[in-house]
């Protein structure tokens, strides 16, 4: 990850530590890359509860509680799916009965081929807190690896925004 993006990750993790907030991550197209990025920061173990890689559509439902009817009707690449993934991981990765303060999720099409009628580069991020969940739509370009890496960078940026911090 480029230096400026790496600095953003450090700032996000430090903000979580300073505020005593925890985070849980649900990943589809990024396959664990976002969790790895967050946990690469020294001290992250104080705030990163864990991550769930739910690459298979069925796992989105069985592990994280995404509505099966929604998945059947819309497929896994949809803003509501992103919101439900973020809310589900926040709740299901609870420690001692306490949900994570933040849940973040990635779902999308990295390519090389379209999926479920969605073009390559269609990505949704989900962010969930006790106050509710929101999704962020992204339209990314590049090859498979570039889309996956850009999704991680965009997720870190979304977390910074949620925390009210500025990253370069």
């Amino acid at each position: 990850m480029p230096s400026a993006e790496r600095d953003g990750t450090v700032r996000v993790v430090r903000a979580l530590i300073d505020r005593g907030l925890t985070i849980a991550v649900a990943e589809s197209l990024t396959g664990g890359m976002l969790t790895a990025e967050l946990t690469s920061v020294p001290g992250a173990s104080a705030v990163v509860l864990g991550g769930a890689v739910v690459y298979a559509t069925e796992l989105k439902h069985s592990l994280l509680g995404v509505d099966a009817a929604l998945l059947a009707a819309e497929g896994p690449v949809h803003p509501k799916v992103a919101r439900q993934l973020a809310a589900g991981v926040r709740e299901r990765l609870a420690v001692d009965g306490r949900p994570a303060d933040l849940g973040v999720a990635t779902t999308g099409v990295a390519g090389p081929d379209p999926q479920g009628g969605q073009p390559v580069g269609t990505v949704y991020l989900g962010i969930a807190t006790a106050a509710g969940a929101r999704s962020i739509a992204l339209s990314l370009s590049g090859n498979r690896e570039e889309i996956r890496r850009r999704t991680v960078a965009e997720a870190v940026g979304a977390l910074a925004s949620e925390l009210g911090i500025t990253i370069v």
Side-chain angles (χ1 to χ4, degrees), residues 4 8 24 38 57 66 80 92 106 112 129 134 144 147 153 160 163:
L38 294 170
T57 298
V66 174
K80 287 182 183 176
R92 303 236 171 146
T106 65
T129 66
R134 65 185 175 96
R144 180 178 173 76
I147 290 169
L163 294 166

Side-chain angles (χ1 to χ4, degrees), residues 72-151:
E74 302 294 344
V77 182
H78 192 271
K80 287 182 183 176
V81 172
R83 289 193 298 270
Q84 288 186 17
L85 283 170
V89 79
R90 186 181 162 270
E91 294 290 331
R92 303 236 171 146
L93 270 62
V95 173
D96 295 329
R98 182 176 177 250
D101 296 301
L102 288 164
V104 61
T106 65
T107 188
V109 184
D113 300 313
Q115 178 185 356
Q118 297 285 352
V120 172
T122 302
V123 174
Y124 295 98
L125 304 176
I127 304 278
T129 66
R134 65 185 175 96
S135 62
I136 301 163
L138 304 173
S139 181
L140 305 176
S141 60
N143 64 34
R144 180 178 173 76
E145 191 59 24
E146 290 166 341
I147 290 169
R148 294 174 76 223
R149 289 194 185 286
R150 193 73 219 141
T151 299

Side-chain angles (χ1 to χ4, degrees), residues 34-96:
L34 178 56
T35 304
E37 177 64 18
L38 294 170
T39 60
S40 71
V41 177
S45 62
V47 295
V48 179
L49 298 181
V53 175
V54 288
Y55 209 63
T57 298
E58 297 79 15
L59 289 181
K60 292 169 179 61
H61 169 69
S62 64
L63 287 181
L64 298 183
V66 174
D67 183 65
L70 171 63
L71 289 167
E74 302 294 344
V77 182
H78 192 271
K80 287 182 183 176
V81 172
R83 289 193 298 270
Q84 288 186 17
L85 283 170
V89 79
R90 186 181 162 270
E91 294 290 331
R92 303 236 171 146
L93 270 62
V95 173
D96 295 329

